[in-house]
mmCIF file of all heavy atoms in Angstrom:
data_model
loop_
_atom_site.group_PDB
_atom_site.id
_atom_site.type_symbol
_atom_site.label_atom_id
_atom_site.label_comp_id
_atom_site.label_asym_id
_atom_site.label_seq_id
_atom_site.Cartn_x
_atom_site.Cartn_y
_atom_site.Cartn_z
ATOM 1 N N SER A 1616 37.217 -89.734 31.312
ATOM 2 C CA SER A 1616 37.999 -90.446 30.587
ATOM 3 C C SER A 1616 39.268 -90.928 31.425
ATOM 4 O O SER A 1616 39.604 -90.244 32.152
ATOM 5 C CB SER A 1616 38.415 -89.796 29.212
ATOM 6 O OG SER A 1616 37.360 -89.251 28.651
ATOM 7 N N LEU A 1617 39.863 -92.169 31.014
ATOM 8 C CA LEU A 1617 41.060 -92.446 31.622
ATOM 9 C C LEU A 1617 41.908 -93.236 30.600
ATOM 10 O O LEU A 1617 41.518 -94.002 29.812
ATOM 11 C CB LEU A 1617 40.892 -93.183 32.873
ATOM 12 C CG LEU A 1617 40.333 -94.685 32.861
ATOM 13 C CD1 LEU A 1617 41.439 -95.516 33.233
ATOM 14 C CD2 LEU A 1617 39.184 -94.763 33.801
ATOM 15 N N TRP A 1618 43.241 -93.075 30.836
ATOM 16 C CA TRP A 1618 44.275 -93.618 29.943
ATOM 17 C C TRP A 1618 45.174 -94.371 30.677
ATOM 18 O O TRP A 1618 45.924 -93.905 31.621
ATOM 19 C CB TRP A 1618 45.062 -92.554 29.142
ATOM 20 C CG TRP A 1618 44.139 -91.693 28.211
ATOM 21 C CD1 TRP A 1618 43.256 -90.663 28.573
ATOM 22 C CD2 TRP A 1618 43.940 -91.946 26.887
ATOM 23 N NE1 TRP A 1618 42.600 -90.318 27.493
ATOM 24 C CE2 TRP A 1618 42.959 -90.976 26.344
ATOM 25 C CE3 TRP A 1618 44.562 -92.704 25.958
ATOM 26 C CZ2 TRP A 1618 42.634 -90.833 25.073
ATOM 27 C CZ3 TRP A 1618 44.186 -92.585 24.542
ATOM 28 C CH2 TRP A 1618 43.255 -91.724 24.164
ATOM 29 N N THR A 1619 45.303 -95.727 30.413
ATOM 30 C CA THR A 1619 46.197 -96.584 31.041
ATOM 31 C C THR A 1619 46.323 -97.920 30.239
ATOM 32 O O THR A 1619 45.436 -98.208 29.536
ATOM 33 C CB THR A 1619 45.594 -97.035 32.464
ATOM 34 O OG1 THR A 1619 46.515 -98.014 32.999
ATOM 35 C CG2 THR A 1619 44.311 -97.600 32.422
ATOM 36 N N ASP A 1620 47.436 -98.508 30.396
ATOM 37 C CA ASP A 1620 47.611 -99.823 29.604
ATOM 38 C C ASP A 1620 47.245 -101.007 30.701
ATOM 39 O O ASP A 1620 47.370 -102.206 30.277
ATOM 40 C CB ASP A 1620 48.914 -100.042 29.184
ATOM 41 C CG ASP A 1620 49.058 -99.411 27.669
ATOM 42 O OD1 ASP A 1620 48.108 -98.952 27.327
ATOM 43 O OD2 ASP A 1620 50.027 -99.647 26.978
ATOM 44 N N SER A 1621 46.885 -100.656 31.853
ATOM 45 C CA SER A 1621 46.647 -101.799 32.826
ATOM 46 C C SER A 1621 45.091 -102.025 32.826
ATOM 47 O O SER A 1621 44.308 -101.094 33.163
ATOM 48 C CB SER A 1621 47.064 -101.275 34.171
ATOM 49 O OG SER A 1621 46.399 -101.972 35.181
ATOM 50 N N LEU A 1622 44.735 -103.161 32.468
ATOM 51 C CA LEU A 1622 43.329 -103.652 32.475
ATOM 52 C C LEU A 1622 42.681 -103.455 33.662
ATOM 53 O O LEU A 1622 41.612 -102.961 33.861
ATOM 54 C CB LEU A 1622 43.235 -105.019 31.810
ATOM 55 C CG LEU A 1622 41.797 -105.427 31.370
ATOM 56 C CD1 LEU A 1622 41.241 -104.570 30.327
ATOM 57 C CD2 LEU A 1622 41.781 -106.789 30.884
ATOM 58 N N SER A 1623 43.368 -103.928 34.667
ATOM 59 C CA SER A 1623 42.831 -103.959 36.162
ATOM 60 C C SER A 1623 42.658 -102.509 36.598
ATOM 61 O O SER A 1623 41.615 -102.283 37.148
ATOM 62 C CB SER A 1623 43.508 -104.883 37.076
ATOM 63 O OG SER A 1623 44.860 -104.656 36.988
ATOM 64 N N ARG A 1624 43.621 -101.602 36.289
ATOM 65 C CA ARG A 1624 43.424 -100.311 36.806
ATOM 66 C C ARG A 1624 42.203 -99.627 36.078
ATOM 67 O O ARG A 1624 41.412 -98.925 36.646
ATOM 68 C CB ARG A 1624 44.661 -99.435 36.428
ATOM 69 C CG ARG A 1624 44.726 -98.122 37.050
ATOM 70 C CD ARG A 1624 45.571 -97.163 36.309
ATOM 71 N NE ARG A 1624 47.086 -97.437 36.506
ATOM 72 C CZ ARG A 1624 47.759 -97.033 37.476
ATOM 73 N NH1 ARG A 1624 47.177 -96.246 38.575
ATOM 74 N NH2 ARG A 1624 49.063 -97.172 37.615
ATOM 75 N N ALA A 1625 42.086 -99.889 34.679
ATOM 76 C CA ALA A 1625 40.878 -99.276 33.975
ATOM 77 C C ALA A 1625 39.580 -99.828 34.638
ATOM 78 O O ALA A 1625 38.718 -98.927 34.819
ATOM 79 C CB ALA A 1625 40.977 -99.833 32.593
ATOM 80 N N HIS A 1626 39.550 -101.063 34.883
ATOM 81 C CA HIS A 1626 38.174 -101.455 35.472
ATOM 82 C C HIS A 1626 38.017 -100.837 36.976
ATOM 83 O O HIS A 1626 36.960 -100.421 37.251
ATOM 84 C CB HIS A 1626 38.131 -103.047 35.594
ATOM 85 C CG HIS A 1626 37.890 -103.628 34.406
ATOM 86 N ND1 HIS A 1626 36.642 -103.484 33.716
ATOM 87 C CD2 HIS A 1626 38.542 -104.427 33.384
ATOM 88 C CE1 HIS A 1626 36.581 -104.105 32.470
ATOM 89 N NE2 HIS A 1626 37.742 -104.723 32.372
ATOM 90 N N ARG A 1627 39.128 -100.964 37.652
ATOM 91 C CA ARG A 1627 39.027 -100.410 39.184
ATOM 92 C C ARG A 1627 38.594 -98.977 39.077
ATOM 93 O O ARG A 1627 37.682 -98.624 39.838
ATOM 94 C CB ARG A 1627 40.397 -100.630 39.725
ATOM 95 C CG ARG A 1627 40.465 -100.468 41.143
ATOM 96 C CD ARG A 1627 41.781 -101.028 41.714
ATOM 97 N NE ARG A 1627 43.052 -100.308 41.075
ATOM 98 C CZ ARG A 1627 43.941 -100.984 40.452
ATOM 99 N NH1 ARG A 1627 44.020 -102.225 40.319
ATOM 100 N NH2 ARG A 1627 44.931 -100.264 39.912
ATOM 101 N N ILE A 1628 39.265 -98.101 38.203
ATOM 102 C CA ILE A 1628 39.004 -96.642 38.341
ATOM 103 C C ILE A 1628 37.505 -96.459 37.684
ATOM 104 O O ILE A 1628 36.824 -95.618 38.142
ATOM 105 C CB ILE A 1628 40.115 -95.937 37.665
ATOM 106 C CG1 ILE A 1628 41.382 -96.132 38.495
ATOM 107 C CG2 ILE A 1628 39.763 -94.410 37.590
ATOM 108 C CD1 ILE A 1628 42.542 -95.297 37.943
ATOM 109 N N ALA A 1629 37.230 -97.064 36.624
ATOM 110 C CA ALA A 1629 35.989 -96.908 35.990
ATOM 111 C C ALA A 1629 34.954 -97.102 36.916
ATOM 112 O O ALA A 1629 33.824 -96.378 36.979
ATOM 113 C CB ALA A 1629 35.790 -97.845 34.691
ATOM 114 N N GLY A 1630 34.993 -98.041 37.755
ATOM 115 C CA GLY A 1630 34.053 -98.426 38.760
ATOM 116 C C GLY A 1630 33.898 -97.335 39.811
ATOM 117 O O GLY A 1630 32.854 -97.199 40.484
ATOM 118 N N ARG A 1631 35.055 -96.439 40.052
ATOM 119 C CA ARG A 1631 34.901 -95.601 41.143
ATOM 120 C C ARG A 1631 34.600 -94.210 40.706
ATOM 121 O O ARG A 1631 34.338 -93.257 41.510
ATOM 122 C CB ARG A 1631 36.269 -95.537 41.861
ATOM 123 C CG ARG A 1631 36.506 -96.888 42.589
ATOM 124 C CD ARG A 1631 37.579 -96.785 43.630
ATOM 125 N NE ARG A 1631 37.841 -98.230 43.927
ATOM 126 C CZ ARG A 1631 39.102 -98.782 44.198
ATOM 127 N NH1 ARG A 1631 40.038 -97.834 44.349
ATOM 128 N NH2 ARG A 1631 39.143 -100.006 44.569
ATOM 129 N N LEU A 1632 34.694 -93.923 39.424
ATOM 130 C CA LEU A 1632 34.491 -92.385 39.026
ATOM 131 C C LEU A 1632 32.943 -92.207 38.956
ATOM 132 O O LEU A 1632 32.196 -93.067 38.517
ATOM 133 C CB LEU A 1632 35.048 -92.243 37.595
ATOM 134 C CG LEU A 1632 36.572 -92.259 37.546
ATOM 135 C CD1 LEU A 1632 37.066 -92.165 36.127
ATOM 136 C CD2 LEU A 1632 37.137 -91.190 38.325
ATOM 137 N N HIS A 1633 32.601 -91.042 39.434
ATOM 138 C CA HIS A 1633 31.130 -90.676 39.516
ATOM 139 C C HIS A 1633 30.876 -89.970 38.202
ATOM 140 O O HIS A 1633 30.998 -88.750 37.975
ATOM 141 C CB HIS A 1633 30.873 -89.644 40.576
ATOM 142 C CG HIS A 1633 31.250 -90.186 41.885
ATOM 143 N ND1 HIS A 1633 31.519 -89.244 42.989
ATOM 144 C CD2 HIS A 1633 31.383 -91.418 42.473
ATOM 145 C CE1 HIS A 1633 31.773 -90.092 44.195
ATOM 146 N NE2 HIS A 1633 31.744 -91.361 43.732
#
Side-chain angles (χ1 to χ4, degrees):
S1616 305
L1617 72 106
W1618 295 79
T1619 176
D1620 270 10
S1621 159
L1622 191 58
S1623 45
R1624 189 200 291 276
H1626 282 294
R1627 191 166 57 236
I1628 297 183
R1631 293 198 192 147
L1632 291 175
H1633 303 157

